[in-house]
Amino acid sequence: MGRASRVDAAKHREDVVNAMARLLRERGPAGVSVQDLMLAVGLTHGGFYKHFSSKDELVGIATEAAFDEIRAALTRIGEDEPDRTRARSEVIRTYLSAEHRDAPGTGCANTALAGDAARSPADSPLRGSYVAGLEDTLEQLAKLEHAPSHGSEEPYRRAVADLATMVGALTLARATSRTPLSDQILQIVREALDPGR
């Protein structure tokens, strides 16, 4: 295989992973066929198996890619806003926004894939990638929390409470989208998590 072909193959693989990461968050694994996925990126169905041994393998890889987006966003917020209180407020405001609610394909994998991960076998690529991604998200969120003392577990505990609350609120807001209740849920939970803003 020539250099150009290897570059093209790598680009095709990346395109497939990114498309699957988006489609997984929009539709869940059962809602994405290999044929639909490959059509979405302009490749043939047969080309799929040049890159992946199975759809399950790709689901795990795409789940990792979706969580990589979360890590990048949280890192960016932490770098752009060194004040931890304001950084945490920015995360809450962005997470519990109508824009996030209405764009599951580019939104948080913690919310979009929780139900699918819960129904997946414990040894599935989806479940393994989800658990690793959730743990990473919690570590990133804990970095945005104030520690009352060195070595305190409080930032991690608060990150768990914040994320669980935001995931629940976003799930309910999506389930009731296009109703006044959906906007109410986002607003009330934003205010509860960040009362000073």
Side-chain angles (χ1 to χ4, degrees), residues 92 96 162 165-166 168-170 183-194:
I92 292 166
L96 298 174
D162 283 354
T165 303
M166 291 189 299
L170 188 60
D183 291 327
Q184 275 185 321
I185 290 167
L186 294 175
Q187 180 181 348
I188 289 168
V189 176
R190 263 194 323 264
E191 291 170 358
L193 287 177
D194 196 22

Side-chain angles (χ1 to χ4, degrees), residues 95-96 108 110-112 114 130 162-172:
Y95 203 99
L96 298 174
C108 181
N110 288 291
T111 300
Y130 186 90
D162 283 354
L163 185 60
T165 303
M166 291 189 299
V167 166
L170 188 60
T171 300
L172 294 175

